Amino acid sequence: MALRVLAAMSGGVDSAVAAARIAEAGHEVTGVHLALSANPQSYRTGARGCCTIEDSRDARRAADVIGIPFYIWDMAERFHRDVVEDFVSEYAAGRTPNPCLRCNEKIKFEAVLDRALALGFDAVATGHHARLVDGVLHRSPDEGKDQSYVLGVLTREQLSHAIFPLGDSTKAEVRAEAARRGLTVADKPDSHDICFIADGDTRGFLADRLGSAEGPIVDESGQVVGTHEGAYGFTVGQRKGLRIDRPAPDGRPRYVLSIEPVTNTVTVGPRSSLEVTSITAVRPVWNGPLEAPREPLACTVQLRAHGEVYGCRAQVSGDGSEVRIVLDAPATGVAAGQAAVLYLGDAVIGSATIASAA
């Protein structure tokens, strides 16, 4: 049965090939590019982001080649509120957000999907590298490009209206197909940076919005070893840019262990002190083949985009509002605010937001 499909087209090669595949499969496809900034010149250019004027032109050219209608939807206000302001407030609270994950959750699969369904579309297609098997999210076969982690926050209802046409393809195969189809984005570089930070200076971006607030950098004993101009400029596991006045007694590097926004204190210490085996995560979403595990469930967990995967046991609290994750081996650099995405094999079970680790 032919579906009415809205193809989200970022201006990159993945979304272009995804739209082409859906159209070729006989579905009624409309392309849409999301304008995420009221001032696109302030966002990344040179194919480094996904929401510049250059990207919108690339998306339109791809739609013309495919032969589908194309529109631009203004999502700037919603993006600023749900992604940019969230990014700033999370850092101010001492947490480390993932803006790409938040964009998927709040923009592409909430705002856009809601509008698409209201307009009579059956589904939204994107160029994410992930698979849907009987409604369950799975990893891509291209391990280096797998994006199931940043989609792990989606609900079952949202996934039921999602299509990921690139699910079984590697990035190399997608680029080769784009070239065969005559899509000019075939060799366009991937985006890697936060699109709304034009110069890539996250600390400077936050300082412009949160101001300067000098505070102490202390070691695990509480001894002051340096100062900073804002605790928001750090993340757990960070090693570079600490500006510590005195070296560690053993001469080894020191890392950020914790960030306390109330006292504006950053604590540093050896890498060994970063190791954690227990994680508490909140706001769980169970979108896989299982319900929330009331007993410890042996599975795996990924704690960062493209991060290492750890064996673990996961169990929800009595009221279901928290997930306790006990790792089989210690992890380092586990930051509050990041997502913990749980897997059974290649299948996503669910996700939750890291609140604390020990």
Side-chain angles (χ1 to χ4, degrees):
M1 182 182 71
L3 302 175
R4 289 193 69 207
V5 179
L6 186 75
M9 303 182 69
S10 66
V13 62
D14 292 324
S15 60
V17 171
R21 287 185 179 182
I22 289 292
E24 191 172 68
H27 299 296
E28 182 184 341
V29 182
T30 298
V32 63
H33 179 79
L34 307 181
L36 301 181
S37 173
N39 179 23
Q41 291 90 341
S42 67
Y43 280 26
R44 283 198 173 271
T45 58
R48 300 292 289 171
C50 57
C51 40
T52 65
I53 291 175
E54 176 184 344
D55 295 314
S56 67
R57 290 169 179 162
D58 286 341
R60 184 180 295 278
R61 281 192 287 266
D64 288 343
V65 171
I66 298 166
I68 58 174
F70 177 83
Y71 299 92
I72 295 176
W73 283 3
D74 183 0
M75 290 284 175
E77 185 175 337
R78 181 75 180 262
F79 182 80
H80 184 80
R81 184 186 75 215
D82 289 347
V83 180
V84 180
E85 289 184 357
D86 174 80
F87 180 85
V88 174
S89 63
E90 284 292 284
Y91 267 106
R95 296 185 287 267
T96 304
N98 184 319
C100 293
L101 185 149
R102 191 67 66 237
C103 183
N104 284 327
E105 176 188 15
K106 295 295 185 180
I107 305 301
K108 294 174 184 173
F109 288 96
E110 186 171 301
V112 172
L113 179 57
D114 287 350
R115 184 185 291 188
L117 294 177
L119 291 172
F121 288 94
D122 300 301
V124 169
T126 72
H128 286 99
H129 283 261
R131 294 181 296 136
L132 278 173
V133 181
D134 297 327
V136 176
L137 185 65
H138 285 67
R139 290 191 184 277
S140 164
D142 191 333
E143 185 176 330
K145 294 297 181 181
D146 173 56
Q147 293 175 296
S148 61
Y149 173 86
V150 294
L151 297 169
V153 293
L154 302 185
T155 66
R156 286 176 178 148
E157 176 65 17
Q158 290 169 329
L159 288 172
S160 73
H161 293 286
I163 302 175
F164 304 127
L166 307 187
D168 294 315
S169 301
T170 66
K171 186 66 179 231
E173 290 168 344
V174 171
R175 289 197 181 280
E177 181 177 333
R180 290 196 304 272
R181 291 181 179 275
L183 297 168
T184 58
V185 292
D187 295 321
K188 185 174 180 178
D190 291 339
S191 59
H192 297 289
D193 306 290
I194 299 172
C195 66
F196 53 84
I197 301 181
D199 58 3
D201 180 7
T202 299
R203 184 177 292 182
F205 177 86
L206 293 168
D208 288 344
R209 285 148 184 83
L210 297 173
S212 178
E214 186 172 299
I217 300 175
V218 303
D219 62 19
E220 291 177 281
S221 70
Q223 178 74 33
V224 176
V225 295
T227 60
H228 62 77
E229 296 177 356
Y232 54 76
F234 299 86
T235 187
V236 171
Q238 180 177 333
R239 173 184 171 186
K240 296 182 179 179
L242 301 186
R243 293 182 294 182
I244 295 174
D245 297 334
R246 64 191 71 162
D250 60 6
R252 294 183 177 180
R254 285 186 280 202
Y255 300 79
V256 174
L257 303 181
S258 66
I259 302 154
E260 176 46 65
V262 175
T263 60
N264 198 28
T265 301
V266 176
T267 301
V268 298
R271 181 176 174 82
S272 59
S273 294
L274 281 171
E275 294 184 346
V276 301
T277 55
S278 177
I279 297 168
T280 299
V282 297
R283 300 189 298 279
V285 174
W286 302 103
N287 53 15
L290 305 176
E291 297 303 320
R294 296 291 174 180
E295 300 295 330
L297 173 69
C299 54
T300 59
V301 64
Q302 186 171 328
L303 304 171
R304 285 184 181 271
H306 306 296
E308 189 174 345
V309 177
Y310 299 87
C312 69
R313 283 166 175 76
Q315 180 180 10
V316 296
S317 60
D319 64 0
S321 63
E322 293 184 347
V323 184
R324 173 88 185 281
I325 302 168
V326 179
L327 304 177
D328 294 345
T332 60
V334 178
Q338 292 282 297
V341 178
L342 297 164
Y343 295 80
L344 269 181
D346 283 342
V348 173
I349 307 170
S351 69
T353 302
I354 297 169
S356 62

